[in-house]
Amino acid sequence: MCFIFLLAMPLKVDAAPAVEAPSYILMESSTGQIICEQNADERRSPASITKIMTLLVIFDHIGTGRVQLDSEVMTSAYAKSMGGSQVFLEEGEIQTLDTIIKCIAVASGNDASVAAAEFIAGSEQEFVNLMNQRAEDMGLTNTHFEDCCGLSESDNHYTSAKDVALMSRELITKYPQILDYTKIWMEDITHVTRQGTSNFTLSSTNKLLKMYDFTTGLKTGSTSKALYCLSATANKDNIDLIAVVMASPSNKSRFQDAMTLLNYGYSVSALYEDANEETLPTIPVKGGVQDEAALIFKGPFRYLDIAGSDLNSIEKTISLSPLLTAPVNRGDAVGEAVYTLNGQRIGSVSILSDVTIDKAGYKDILKKVWGLYCSL
């Protein structure tokens, strides 16, 4: 597992220029650093970028093993009845969950979204409850869903650019395999129904895939109420950016807005990474069945600089407890690696015990004494 550590005091620079969307945000994925934003907490209708949360809940269920990619999903009459973007699933048609995910991620299929929701939760409403619970668990205070595909015109179906960026970040960092789907430009699926067998070509709604070389995803959305929305993900020079625009005035402008933000981000960003793979010293343990505890870093450290700093000047200091007292549990924090730049703390990584050491009993103490005697 990769652990990401946020900075105690995030830096920001002035908003990127020439963006038509009234609400937007640009975020670096691995650190969660906000590079620029405007009206990012403003609640807006999200249209089909709702499906970012739909996909997140689907992958949560795959991750726990409750469903599998080869699970069979049957389309109901209700799912078939969805309007807007669709892949024309027929009532009773069976597709694998893998294919259903492609239909959602590539072609923004509303029918596929509802079919997946019913398969996982029994009904769309129960699935929406899971979406809202996931949003609450993530602390997304400006988000509430009333359907799983974004067709709702209700004022009670809303999110914000920042919340979309956060759910996008959660999706691509926790389940990076989603990018295998969102990078698809065109792919055929096969409908097998009572009427026979036919091929259908999924075509990506994300035109950024052809307009911007570094695009990896993620999701488009548009309705008359939401106007044109986009959560765009890209990777360049090992830096993953997320650009979210909401309520762009036209289909063309949302993609141009996203490219403007991404280009801006890559022009000002430099990422410092420390894998933290070096061997750490042991710490003596008092009163334990073992005398020393082996240590590990909790994970790597990443720092995004947008101020043009000399990242070679970053210094790392290891701070450890001089002595531990048993019992010690594996995973207990026993120190930290502190990173500073020009004398200012920019972040830290916890150092953990890599072993569990129980408190020594009477027999353990006798065994140690006997071992010492025999070594004389």
Side-chain angles (χ1 to χ4, degrees), residues 291-330:
D291 295 327
E292 294 180 323
L295 309 179
I296 57 170
F297 292 99
K298 189 175 182 180
F301 174 78
R302 294 181 177 88
Y303 170 72
L304 186 76
D305 179 73
I306 52 178
S309 304
D310 178 9
L311 299 187
N312 291 321
S313 299
I314 291 177
E315 296 182 351
K316 175 182 180 180
T317 303
I318 302 295
S319 175
L320 298 173
S321 300
L323 177 69
L324 303 178
T325 301
V328 177
N329 294 314
R330 188 173 188 270

Side-chain angles (χ1 to χ4, degrees), residues 11-29:
L11 299 173
K12 293 184 185 180
V13 296
D14 292 337
V19 175
E20 291 189 63
S23 179
Y24 65 81
I25 192 169
L26 179 64
M27 177 184 290
E28 196 278 320
S29 178

Side-chain angles (χ1 to χ4, degrees), residues 346-375:
I346 59 171
S348 65
V349 175
S350 295
I351 295 174
L352 313 176
S353 170
D354 196 28
V355 292
T356 293
I357 300 177
D358 294 327
K359 188 174 182 179
Y362 180 70
K363 290 183 178 180
D364 297 308
I365 295 172
L366 285 179
K367 186 176 179 180
K368 282 186 179 184
V369 171
W370 178 251
L372 289 170
Y373 175 78
C374 291
S375 67

Side-chain angles (χ1 to χ4, degrees), residues 269-285:
S269 297
L271 186 66
Y272 173 88
E273 298 181 272
D274 182 359
N276 282 328
E277 293 176 341
E278 69 265 32
T279 300
L280 289 163
T282 58
I283 295 183
V285 177

Side-chain angles (χ1 to χ4, degrees), residues 1 28 60 99 104 140 143 175 181 210 218 242 267 334 358 373:
M1 179 178 289
E28 196 278 320
D60 281 343
T99 297
I104 299 169
L140 307 183
T143 294
Y175 306 111
Y181 298 90
K210 290 296 183 181
L218 184 66
I242 302 168
S267 74
V334 297
D358 294 327
Y373 175 78

